[in-house]
Every structure is written in structure tokens, then in C-alpha cells.
Amino acid sequence: MKIFYAVQATGNGHIARAKELIPYLQRYGQVDVFLSGNNSNLKVDLPVKYQSKGLSLFYGNKGGLDYWKMAQELSLFNIIKEARELPVDRYDLVVNDFESITSIACKIKRVPSIGFGHQASFKSKLTPRPISKDRIGEYVLNMYAPASKYIGLHFEQYDNFIYSPIIKEQILAANPTNQGHISVYLSHYSDEVVASYLNQVPSQRFHLFSSFHLFSKKEKTVNQRGNIIYMPIDNALFTQSMINATGVITGAGFETPAEALYLNKKLLCVPIKGQYEQLCNAAALQNFGVPIVSTLKADFTKQIENWLNVTTQKKLEIEWSTASIVEKLMEEAASLQEQKEIIDPFELNHLSLKFR
């Protein structure tokens, strides 16, 4: 079997998940990766055969999205051109982890695909949302990368096609300890902004991971200043820090909160401003007893102190192993092969005609 696996490289979660998933997919055949996006901080150690700048999200340094940079990077003409050239029709199975070019390519070439990953879980109306829904956010979650079928991942099994988070083997095999520090990863804020608050809790030690390094954006070593140890972005380093931490402060993404809850670490989340998916995750995390901080402001230091003193949270239980999730994925793939007709998930005729 030849498997085409589209990986969204916006942020680190999709790549981290792909690293865990690919060895299981390779049990069923050859896996070729299409990497789309250019702003992940993780080292990409994947069988990448195709690559694109894609449609990437970029963040400022004060908690929100950088819409100007996102607009500068967007080229609709190139996206359609790349979609036409992407050889999805040469593969037995297309697995799409929220990647739009692959979705367009499958539409144009009438190739069925399976939408896989966290975003796929939002195809269910039962998946938690914030009290105030965002129509544009809902549209993006539903129409950014439509597929023929879906395998969703979330904190709990809200629907029959939603399964457990894929947790790294290093986390699954860990013996968590409490060495007294807090692991902090807030990539949507600069180190200077985050440190200005952490310095106000001098009795607490912090490990601060960020792509905006206080000393140098090219800094590759560990540096300490006061009660903060500044760490370069490194998957293994962050994982080890989290395993031995008292708690974790991070955005309201998916992979890192899932790992923290699985390790039964205290968790505090600061969602990225303007990113609807993180607001949805925040709604789900509140059901675990996780405090949500909308933005860093004057009382953030007090919120940290309260969280350290009184927070109790529910541990994340893993009901589906990675191997069993891949088995379900292959069952869906087999059912796609049996179908004689595939219903188009969305209409792009006007785009395909325009760029002929």
C-alpha cells in the first residue's frame, strides 16, 4: 500500500503527532509525507517527499495572530497550482491532517481522503465549543480541509468517530516526578512579556521555552536569569521538563495540554487570541478543571499563585492506543475503497475553471 500523509506544519502539534503515527502507518505500506507550512519550531524528522509553504498561521509577540504576515504569505494562484501538481491520485490512501492543498487536490482529482487529527473532531456538534460561537471560526474548522471521512482526536470521546489523543512513547513510559519547577511554553508571547510576570513570583522556579529568546533568537543553550531557566525549543528537552514539573503553563492547543493532563500535572492555559480552535479547546479543558486565562495582564501573577495553591484537575485517560487508532483508520480506508461513488465534500469548480 502507498500512503500519502499530509502534515500541517503550522505550529508543533501536527509534526509531533506525525512522528508518533508514521511508524504505525508504515506497518501497512510505504508512507510519503507532504509537509505544508513553514513556521514549526520542531526538527522535522519525517519521510518528507513533497513540501510547500502552504497556508501558515503566524503569531505576534503579545498573544495574538499576525494577520499582516499571514496575508503577505498567501498566494491563491500558487495554492491551486500546487494542488493540481500534487500526485494524490498515485496513492492507495490519502491521510490529511488539516492541510488545505491536499484537500483541494483530492477534490480536483476526485480522490477520496480521510481527515485525521484534532481538527477532524470538530465535525461533530457534540465536541465542546465556547458559549459564544464564532461563525467564521466554525466555517474554517469545517471547510479548511474537508475530506471524505474523518478520524478525530480529542480529550474525550465526544462522538463515535473521535478517539484518544496520540501520546508520545516517552510520555507513556515516563515515571513522573515533582522537582518543583513550572514548564512554560507560550509561543504567542515574547520571552520579555512572559518573564515580566514570572519574575514577580521569585520563590517559584520556571523553565521557559519560547521561539522569541530573551538573549538571542539563535540561542541554542540553556541560560538562567533569576528564577527563570530559559530553554531552547527542543521536543525532548520540553518533554523531560514537563515529566519532572509541578505544573505546565501553555496555550490552549491540543498535544501539550493532553500530555500534561495524562501526566497528571497541574495545567494553566492561555489561548491564542483570535484562534477559535483554542477557544473550543479551552471549553473542553474547563471540564477537566483547568483554569483558562484569556490574556496576560496585571493579575496574571496572582492567577499563577492561586493556581499553584488550590487547583485540582481530572487526569486524562487514554482509552485508545495509537495502534488501535491506526486500525480504525485502515478500516475507514477499506470502506472508501469499496465505495463506487464519493460524494464531493465541497465545491471548487469555480476555482478549478478560473485557473485552467
Side-chain angles (χ1 to χ4, degrees):
M1 174 183 284
K2 292 183 64 179
I3 302 170
F4 182 99
Y5 184 13
V7 181
Q8 172 66 255
T10 295
N12 301 325
H14 301 269
I15 291 178
R17 178 162 58 244
K19 287 182 177 180
E20 297 301 314
L21 192 72
I22 284 176
Y24 292 90
L25 288 175
Q26 287 173 331
R27 296 176 182 179
Y28 295 86
Q30 174 187 329
V31 179
D32 291 339
V33 168
F34 172 44
L35 193 67
S36 177
N38 58 0
N39 62 339
S40 169
N41 293 308
L42 292 184
K43 179 182 178 182
V44 179
D45 186 18
L46 302 173
V48 177
K49 188 167 184 178
Y50 314 99
Q51 194 158 3
S52 168
K53 291 176 65 177
L55 297 175
S56 294
L57 297 179
F58 293 94
Y59 309 115
N61 63 359
K62 295 183 179 180
L65 295 168
D66 188 337
Y67 293 103
W68 174 246
K69 187 171 183 180
M70 288 162 58
Q72 285 180 312
E73 295 288 328
L74 179 63
S75 172
L76 184 59
F77 178 84
N78 287 338
I79 288 168
I80 300 300
K81 180 177 181 294
E82 289 183 356
R84 288 186 171 282
E85 295 173 351
L86 208 58
V88 292
D89 51 333
R90 300 178 190 172
Y91 289 83
D92 302 302
L93 171 61
V94 176
V95 180
N96 188 352
D97 190 346
F98 205 58
E99 200 290 305
S100 61
I101 297 175
T102 299
S103 183
I104 296 171
C106 287
K107 163 61 185 177
I108 293 173
K109 301 183 181 185
R110 296 187 176 277
V111 173
S113 65
I114 295 179
F116 179 87
H118 179 54
Q119 284 83 3
S121 70
F122 292 100
K123 289 293 179 178
S124 173
K125 294 182 179 179
L126 301 177
T127 301
R129 262 75 166 183
I131 295 175
S132 298
K133 288 187 178 181
D134 183 329
R135 290 184 179 181
I136 296 177
E138 287 286 338
Y139 182 83
V140 170
L141 285 174
N142 279 282
M143 300 306 296
Y144 182 81
S148 307
K149 290 198 171 187
Y150 298 93
I151 296 285
L153 308 174
H154 216 306
F155 302 124
E156 297 184 277
Q157 190 169 12
Y158 304 109
D159 212 326
N160 59 10
F161 67 94
I162 299 174
Y163 302 94
S164 305
I166 291 178
I167 302 294
K168 293 195 294 282
E169 287 295 332
Q170 187 180 356
I171 296 289
L172 294 174
N175 292 313
T177 64
N178 184 350
Q179 296 184 4
H181 64 267
I182 304 297
S183 301
V184 183
Y185 178 56
L186 293 169
S187 61
H188 46 303
Y189 286 93
S190 69
D191 279 358
E192 290 86 348
V193 171
V194 178
S196 68
Y197 295 100
L198 303 186
N199 285 331
Q200 296 178 47
V201 193
S203 60
Q204 176 62 57
R205 289 185 294 114
F206 296 95
H207 290 179
L208 177 57
F209 296 79
S210 175
S211 55
F212 298 96
H213 206 280
L214 181 64
F215 303 103
S216 169
K217 289 186 178 180
K218 297 181 180 180
E219 181 65 47
K220 300 297 182 182
T221 60
V222 176
N223 293 276
Q224 182 168 3
R225 179 171 295 181
N227 63 327
I228 302 173
I229 298 177
Y230 296 87
M231 304 275 200
I233 293 296
D234 179 88
N235 190 33
L237 193 62
F238 178 76
T239 299
Q240 197 59 41
S241 173
M242 184 165 55
I243 289 171
N244 298 319
T246 297
V248 178
I249 300 176
T250 189
F254 180 57
E255 278 71 23
T256 298
E259 290 172 351
L261 290 174
Y262 176 79
L263 291 168
N264 206 21
K265 300 294 182 179
K266 288 185 176 184
L267 177 64
L268 185 151
C269 290
V270 186
I272 296 173
K273 297 175 186 176
Q275 193 172 22
Y276 182 62
E277 178 201 335
Q278 293 221 351
L279 297 179
C280 293
N281 291 343
L285 287 167
Q286 286 179 311
N287 295 330
F288 282 78
V290 176
I292 305 298
V293 177
S294 60
T295 187
L296 302 190
K297 52 186 179 180
D299 64 346
F300 183 55
T301 301
K302 188 65 176 178
Q303 290 173 317
I304 292 176
E305 292 173 341
N306 291 339
W307 166 65
L308 289 172
N309 290 329
V310 301
T311 297
T312 57
Q313 294 170 180
K314 183 171 70 173
K315 185 178 185 295
L316 176 70
E317 302 295 338
I318 299 298
E319 299 179 6
W320 294 83
S321 67
T322 302
S324 62
I325 292 172
V326 172
E327 286 178 9
K328 287 293 182 182
L329 176 63
M330 289 303 163
E331 289 176 10
E332 292 297 334
S335 70
L336 281 180
Q337 294 296 326
E338 294 172 358
Q339 293 180 12
K340 294 181 179 179
E341 295 183 7
I342 301 297
I343 300 175
D344 291 333
F346 71 122
E347 200 59 44
L348 276 175
N349 287 339
H350 61 294
L351 288 178
S352 60
L353 288 172
K354 180 177 179 181
F355 289 96
R356 284 185 188 276

